[in-house]
């Protein structure tokens, strides 16, 4: 796992929180993340606001390079509608306690089988839950992207419920993670 945060204490604390369960490498800048990230890392915890290369740009560049591991935005930045188009897997707002961090990573990394639709559902659910906390109903209703994403979540939920006996349990576990 790669932990990226320009605040050394924050990054080092996250590494300590995860150290018993995951092997963590820490870097302290967006450029260092771009220089270090690669297929040997199954997950990246990425801060958004960094002075050299913004976390949004790091995220975009990693995906453009073909990195398909889990990327969790771990940030104090309030979410805006621009997150609808961002290719992250989850969005957690600082401060994040150890239990939340481990639960979120477990949700993405420790499932026995890979299911692209379930992964998509969780990515969408993360964006929707963050935006629903941060924005008013009128702001959300005026966003075509938000409306389309909400509909896609409903479609996926319907299919996943029909095909997975344990979907409701997975969904409940996912929803139990505090993302704010």
């Amino acid at each position: 796992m790669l932990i990226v945060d320009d605040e050394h204490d924050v990054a080092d604390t996250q590494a300590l929180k995860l150290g018993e369960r995951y092997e963590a490498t820490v870097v302290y800048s967006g450029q260092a993340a771009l220089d270090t990230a690669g297929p040997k890392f199954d997950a990246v915890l990425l801060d958004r606001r960094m002075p050299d290369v913004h976390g949004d740009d790091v995220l975009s560049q990693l995906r453009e390079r073909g990195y398909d591991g889990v990327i969790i935005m771990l940030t104090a930045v309030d979410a805006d509608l621009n997150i609808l188009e961002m290719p992250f897997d989850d969005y957690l707002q600082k401060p994040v306690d150890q239990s939340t961090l481990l639960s979120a990573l477990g949700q993405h990394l420790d499932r026995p089988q890979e299911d692209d639709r379930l992964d998509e559902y969780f990515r969408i659910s993360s964006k929707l839950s963050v935006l629903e906390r941060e924005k008013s109903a009128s702001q959300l209703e005026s966003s075509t992207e938000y409306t389309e994403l909400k509909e896609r979540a409903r479609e996926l939920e319907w299919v996943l419920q029909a095909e997975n006996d344990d979907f409701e349990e997975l969904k409940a576990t996912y929803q139990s993670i505090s993302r704010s």
Side-chain angles (χ1 to χ4, degrees), residues 42-113:
D42 53 359
V44 175
L45 297 180
L46 180 60
D47 186 29
R48 281 189 80 182
R49 191 175 291 147
M50 293 182 286
D52 66 332
V53 181
H54 197 280
D56 295 2
D57 296 327
V58 173
L59 171 65
S60 295
Q61 289 183 47
L62 289 177
R63 293 301 192 206
E64 286 170 10
R65 293 178 182 178
Y67 179 77
D68 65 351
V70 172
I71 299 178
I72 298 176
M73 301 303 284
L74 191 60
T75 182
V77 176
D78 290 336
D80 203 348
L81 291 171
N82 68 340
I83 71 166
L84 291 171
E85 298 174 9
M86 295 172 66
F88 58 77
D89 295 287
D90 213 335
Y91 195 99
L92 302 175
Q93 290 186 298
K94 293 178 185 174
V96 179
D97 63 35
Q98 180 179 21
S99 173
T100 299
L101 202 48
L102 288 170
S103 294
L105 284 165
Q107 185 80 40
H108 293 284
L109 297 174
D110 298 338
R111 283 186 284 125
Q113 81 270 8

Side-chain angles (χ1 to χ4, degrees), residues 116-127:
D116 291 339
R117 290 175 302 178
L118 189 58
D119 292 338
E120 180 185 3
Y121 176 78
F122 287 144
R123 278 192 304 274
I124 291 170
S125 294
S126 176
K127 292 175 183 182

Side-chain angles (χ1 to χ4, degrees), residues 1-178:
M1 160 160 341
L2 181 63
I3 299 171
V4 184
D5 199 308
D6 63 307
E7 294 182 48
H8 292 233
D9 291 346
V10 171
D12 294 341
T13 299
Q14 291 168 358
L16 285 172
K17 289 178 180 178
L18 300 172
E20 291 179 18
R21 187 154 175 205
Y22 299 100
E23 185 178 326
T25 298
V26 177
V27 296
Y28 304 106
S29 71
Q31 187 58 55
L34 293 170
D35 294 342
T36 306
K40 68 180 180 178
F41 296 103
D42 53 359
V44 175
L45 297 180
L46 180 60
D47 186 29
R48 281 189 80 182
R49 191 175 291 147
M50 293 182 286
D52 66 332
V53 181
H54 197 280
D56 295 2
D57 296 327
V58 173
L59 171 65
S60 295
Q61 289 183 47
L62 289 177
R63 293 301 192 206
E64 286 170 10
R65 293 178 182 178
Y67 179 77
D68 65 351
V70 172
I71 299 178
I72 298 176
M73 301 303 284
L74 191 60
T75 182
V77 176
D78 290 336
D80 203 348
L81 291 171
N82 68 340
I83 71 166
L84 291 171
E85 298 174 9
M86 295 172 66
F88 58 77
D89 295 287
D90 213 335
Y91 195 99
L92 302 175
Q93 290 186 298
K94 293 178 185 174
V96 179
D97 63 35
Q98 180 179 21
S99 173
T100 299
L101 202 48
L102 288 170
S103 294
L105 284 165
Q107 185 80 40
H108 293 284
L109 297 174
D110 298 338
R111 283 186 284 125
Q113 81 270 8
E114 191 171 313
D115 183 336
D116 291 339
R117 290 175 302 178
L118 189 58
D119 292 338
E120 180 185 3
Y121 176 78
F122 287 144
R123 278 192 304 274
I124 291 170
S125 294
S126 176
K127 292 175 183 182
L128 294 175
S129 68
V130 168
L131 287 173
E132 287 164 358
R133 253 191 339 272
E134 299 287 329
K135 300 296 174 192
S136 69
S138 63
Q139 288 173 307
L140 295 174
E141 290 168 7
S142 67
S143 167
T144 303
E145 295 89 356
Y146 172 82
T147 304
E148 290 171 355
L149 210 56
K150 188 89 170 168
E151 181 56 34
R152 178 64 180 151
R154 282 189 207 109
E155 291 170 6
L156 285 167
E157 187 168 350
W158 185 80
V159 169
L160 291 165
Q161 283 176 334
E163 294 180 359
N164 297 301
D165 292 337
D166 62 347
F167 175 72
E168 288 302 322
E169 182 180 333
L170 290 170
K171 180 180 166 185
T173 301
Y174 184 82
Q175 291 174 338
S176 71
I177 297 170
S178 172

